[in-house]
Amino acid sequence: MGKRYRRGVRVDTGLRHALERFVRSPWQALRGARPESFWALKDVSLEVREGEVLGLIGRNGAGKTTLLKILSRITRPTEGWAEIRGKVRSLLEVGTGFHPELTGRENAYLSGAILGMSKREIDRKFDEIVAFAEIEKFIDTPVKHYSSGMYMRLAFSVAAHLEPEILLVDEVLAVGDASFQRKCLGKMGDVSRQGRTIVFVSHNMLALKKLCTQAVWLDGGQVVERGEVGQVIDHYLQKNTGMSLESVWEDEGRAPGNERVRLRSVRVIPQCDPGERITVHTPLQIEFTYWNYVPDTTLNVSMFLNSLEEICAFVSVSDFVPRPAGLIRHTVEIPGDFLNADSYYVNLWIVKDTSTGILFQENAVAFEVAEGEPVGNWYGRIPGVVRPKLKWKSEVIESDDLMATQRGQKA
């Protein structure tokens, strides 16, 4: 299946528009415009089975929304076809059909009707919709007086209570505050457990891993990979983050920064033989160098170590003392047997006076930590962003010792 669009061309087919174009530029009107076209989707072929929850991932402009619009029958494919068996409903834009002058109650019925719900179905679910949106006291207030969060909660609540056989969802779960987002994800989980077929677009990798069983990675309108959701997401994140143990800015004038500081380099230095891969047992040093242009300024580096799923493993802060003008270097050590087997990237802040960030560099370096020697007979992945090797003490004790300790505490 493919979808081609024309870029930068207005299509006005009326006689008046044709005459206006001829008067403005007769030669161009006679010659005709030569529209430039591009493929939003090209040679996309996939199958989604009944009861499957499929995640679509990719960068902005990869073709994910175009694919859902074709499946929703909003637009036709330029080539190929899509065959769907079952009742389809889509959540492509939260708030479709909402009118600011109508009350929340009226908009719930209007939006539900546009999304394909009958009045009887809306009547049956109305109390549940309002309770889910948490706006019971304001349901008869015009939505123009709602906050943006209230508006989005009601819109999602109406859409989330659809009961289709096939549900197409396009990045509409990022609504409201953190607690309501968790409710949204929980509701989507309930839908998936009911055996519905779901095609889900999101940039929230944790939500995709939680809800989906399979994933398709789109890039430039084409399918790059399809498979188990965790594996596809890992490959996608690795490609888009780029594993680089070193970032160096040789040209001081082009380096990230400002009139106060400029970044010189960030390096990951594995404490192992050259050519050896980094494992969970490998100690690491991460080195930061920057030019300081204002003498006696109190500066420190704050390092944020994140997994590719954008989970912050930890934050570490260097000492904060007045720095002389010149090239400054900080080095932080991460011991072996501390990080888990995963891929990580480093964000950093250079902070003035322990409170004001004056330079931020995202994704300065990235590296992958491989699994080491297996622990006993366990060959699976150990959960967690970090897995420090801590000191344990094991011994045999007499039960009387424990009772004596408890009696002493009571006394």
Side-chain angles (χ1 to χ4, degrees), residues 83-281:
E83 181 179 334
I84 299 177
R85 299 185 181 93
K87 184 179 180 182
V88 180
R89 287 180 181 167
S90 57
L91 282 71
L92 302 188
E93 293 182 10
V94 172
T96 298
F98 270 34
H99 193 289
E101 298 295 334
L102 300 180
T103 66
R105 182 186 303 274
E106 293 164 338
N107 271 302
Y109 278 88
L110 176 61
S111 179
I114 291 174
L115 292 171
M117 300 170 71
S118 66
K119 183 177 183 302
R120 181 179 299 177
E121 188 178 2
I122 300 173
D123 289 338
R124 180 165 51 87
K125 291 181 171 291
F126 184 78
D127 291 340
E128 188 178 348
I129 290 171
V130 175
F132 188 89
E134 302 173 356
I135 58 166
E136 294 92 337
K137 296 180 180 179
F138 306 97
I139 191 61
D140 292 311
T141 301
V143 298
K144 67 181 181 181
H145 300 302
Y146 284 14
S147 68
S148 58
M150 293 167 63
Y151 182 96
M152 298 300 284
R153 290 204 304 270
L154 178 59
F156 177 83
S157 184
V158 173
H161 286 81
L162 303 171
E163 291 186 348
E165 297 169 288
I166 302 168
L167 183 61
L168 309 177
V169 185
D170 185 11
E171 196 61 79
V172 297
L173 299 186
V175 298
D177 53 26
S179 63
F180 189 75
Q181 287 184 29
R182 287 193 293 271
K183 283 183 65 174
C184 292
L185 293 174
K187 183 65 177 178
M188 292 299 299
D190 294 340
V191 172
S192 66
R193 284 188 289 273
Q194 292 169 7
R196 313 264 176 81
T197 303
I198 301 176
V199 181
F200 179 35
V201 172
S202 179
H203 293 285
N204 186 331
M205 298 301 156
L206 293 177
L208 285 166
K209 281 191 173 183
K210 182 177 179 180
L211 295 175
C212 302
T213 53
Q214 294 283 306
V216 171
W217 172 11
L218 291 175
D219 188 25
Q222 296 184 309
V223 175
V224 177
E225 183 179 358
R226 171 167 184 169
E228 191 271 326
V229 61
Q231 180 180 352
V232 175
I233 287 175
D234 287 346
H235 293 168
Y236 165 73
L237 292 173
Q238 288 170 11
K239 181 176 186 290
N240 285 279
T241 302
M243 296 296 143
S244 174
L245 297 182
E246 183 178 78
S247 293
V248 179
W249 291 269
E250 299 286 356
D251 187 348
E252 186 174 346
R254 295 178 177 271
N258 48 53
E259 70 279 0
R260 289 183 168 276
V261 294
R262 288 194 180 275
L263 201 56
R264 172 66 172 84
S265 67
V266 182
R267 295 196 301 156
V268 178
I269 308 171
Q271 303 302 293
C272 59
D273 293 334
E276 285 189 11
R277 65 177 184 171
I278 301 173
T279 73
V280 294
H281 309 303

Side-chain angles (χ1 to χ4, degrees), residues 288 300-305 314-318 332-333 349:
F288 306 88
N300 70 275
V301 171
S302 296
M303 179 189 75
F304 297 75
L305 187 69
F314 62 84
V315 178
S316 185
V317 180
S318 71
V332 61
E333 296 185 359
W349 275 100

